[in-house]
Amino acid sequence: CIFILFFTPSHSKRASAKFCAAMSKMRKHIPDSMIAEGFGVSRNAEEMELFLSCFDQACVEDFERQLQLEQSYDCTTTFAFSDVMPFANNGFESIVQDSFTQCFQGRGKFRWNTTWYLTVIYYFGVLIRYLFLFPLRLTVLVSSLVLFINIFMISFLVPASFKRSLGALGIRIVNSAFVFAFCAIINVKGTIPPREAGQIYVANHTSVIDIVILLSQQLYGLTGQGHGGVIGFFQKIVLNFGTDNLWFDRMASRDRSAVAKQIRQHANDVSKHPLLVFPEGTCVNNEFVVMFKRGAFDLGRVIVPVAIKYNLDITDAFWNSKQSSFPAHVFHLMTSWALVAQVSYLEPQQKREDESSAQFAARVKELIAQEAGLRSVPWDGYFKYFQPKPEYKQRRQQVFTRQLLKRFDLDSMVTEFNHLPQRDDADDADGSSTCTATMATTDSQLTPTQLQSKRIEQLQAVSRRRAMSENTVVS
């Protein structure tokens, strides 16, 4: 990277800087719905072809701009280092400015005990947090769970009309215990709108603890990914005891379609608790907000945006499920000094007549990001569960191949070769029979490396025939 920065000509740097202008020009030809949905989600063939063609066009224009600026391109017979500069520059930018991976990286621990007296204060705080606060918080949490189990057993002895009230009481007891265990300081901004038919609350998602923060204000009916283990116990036993929740498998399309119908029915039933949805579908580190899934925005219901912002200077509430389990995450929060959060209830939003569901979701996402001071990015949070599609890599390879053919003036040779009959090359000037032996071998019996070598030999044969013809004309 240092070599490229210091030895790349200044005009090459200017050309790479103009890539943003090309992308802006490409942006004008792409519908807003495609940008709002993110790159790589399912869409029809025409939209995908339009998106990829515009993407390829921007890459080709940037590459051709490099061709005109680099002096080394005056020679068309040698391969220069500048041939790969547009793509190498784009690759380095992807590594340095990787806004997708940054969405799922927690804030590292800051070492502040750099002097002896700060070290004494630090370890004194460790003793208080681990030997006094943690046992006290754990005792309160376990006591609340024991009390909840007693209430749960009593619910089988009372009429069904009282069971729902007992469940709501049990949820409030357990949730209050979690708030105490985390020493959660919750600052509420705005007012909760009165309960009406068709309301759906949507919020940004940082951790499972978001549910604890929001349930401290009012009870919700939750919808989200079904889990096992400890989280599954709280989903199936604790939360389902007092509220109507919708758990599904994000990988199963049948579950998603069935939940969409249940969400529509739940939102219209005023007797049930308001529905809470986390449209990001995954935990983000509370510094970014990723693409909102449009499922809740397709229903034509009133959306109540809720912005959650944690004070990361006190403790990092982000849960990275790939690095730590849920009990370890809870232990981290219970051994912290406090959990400071601000919950902002925004004005209810409705879908406009001139916008699609994806645009509606993007607009609500921008409102939440602006209120919470988060950086909005267009990425799909599900990307962290999948590998990039090979079609994207092949597209860039095709662009590079087309430019190299143009760069070395091979387009006409390839066209001429494609129109030649498959015959022996015994008439070549040098009498070479290598190409003849290679063409006699069927493609199905060759490895990719051998196929590439065969193609090069055939192109060389065409080049020799062209050279003979030109020499004959000159003579």
Side-chain angles (χ1 to χ4, degrees), residues 119 131 288 333:
T119 302
L131 300 182
F288 296 82
L333 296 178

Side-chain angles (χ1 to χ4, degrees), residues 4 51 82 86 91 107 114 131 134 136 180 257 268 285 288 327 332 335 350 364 421 453 460:
I4 292 175
F51 188 92
S82 301
R107 173 175 290 192
T114 55
L131 300 182
F134 176 69
L136 177 62
F180 176 83
S257 59
N268 292 331
N285 61 4
F288 296 82
H332 163 69
T335 53
Q350 287 184 329
V364 173
S453 301
Q460 290 175 349

